[in-house]
Amino acid sequence: MFSLREVLGAVQSYGKAHQFISSHRLWKWIIIPGIIYCILFVTGIYFVWQYSGVFIDYVLNLFTLKTWIEELQNGWVNFLFLLVGFAVRMVFLLMYFSFFKYLFLIIGSPLFAYLSEKTEAIMQNKDFPFSFSQLLKDVVRGIRLSFRNLLYQTLFMLIIAILAFIPILGWLTPLIALFVECYYFGFSMMDYSFERRRWTMGQSITYIGQHKGMAIGNGLVFYLGMFIPLLGWILAPCYAVIAATIHLQQQKLPDVR
């Protein structure tokens, strides 16, 4: 389970992130990557929605369900399978968000690592001397964690995709998938702060496991931002890493030397 207080704390950190970005004029680090993210994101949505419909028709035809539904001519059965089809499409969209999100996390690792470090440097009123080797380590760490989370999340999402075909239970699968998505995305955003403190991946995993609400809250606002066309798609990625850094900075995490 997770703490509702931690979820709310992570959600509130987005408001603090907005004030922080405005006060320190970090907009150029937010807008340009956000526009690139937005263009790629919209293109992917179009293709996923189209091909998920093709997949649903293939499954229905494979098990002759489509013919059975047409012969039955029952409005409630038609409505039930329409809901199941919609749930399946939503799960496919969430799976797309997962894969696209991790691709963007991998490509954007240098930017996210820099933004997290810059945020903490401003908050502590001190400079972190630039080190290319350290930045490279941060990027490699971010990529390793992204692949690790992608593997675990893919397994969960495949199970959820199968459950989506079960009537009634299938209606809940988009919500379950959303929480899984939020957790792993928030985890990725928070890990930049852990890496700067020289935490091992094992230590990061243990901490997040004990504070799931922080990760879910961070990822939840990100995904809610995805429901705001253009503006949300542009702002959400970089806001997420800054919000995570601010929230963890307030937890006074210890360095590991």
Side-chain angles (χ1 to χ4, degrees), residues 134-180:
Q134 184 57 49
L135 178 63
L136 185 60
K137 289 179 182 178
D138 292 346
V139 171
V140 171
R141 161 71 171 259
I143 292 173
R144 284 181 58 206
L145 184 72
S146 293
F147 276 116
R148 182 259 180 197
N149 286 350
L150 176 60
L151 175 61
Y152 277 88
Q153 188 172 325
T154 300
L155 293 175
F156 281 118
M157 296 300 280
L158 287 174
I159 295 172
I160 291 170
I162 294 171
L163 294 177
F165 283 97
I166 302 175
I168 300 178
L169 178 60
W171 304 345
L172 300 176
T173 52
L175 182 61
I176 298 171
L178 177 63
F179 276 102
V180 172

Side-chain angles (χ1 to χ4, degrees), residues 235-250:
L235 299 181
C238 293
Y239 262 65
V241 70
I242 293 176
T245 304
I246 291 174
H247 193 197
L248 288 174
Q249 176 67 20
Q250 295 170 339

Side-chain angles (χ1 to χ4, degrees), residues 215-228:
I216 292 173
N218 182 274
L220 181 61
V221 180
F222 170 82
Y223 277 99
L224 289 176
M226 292 295 99
F227 289 100
I228 304 175

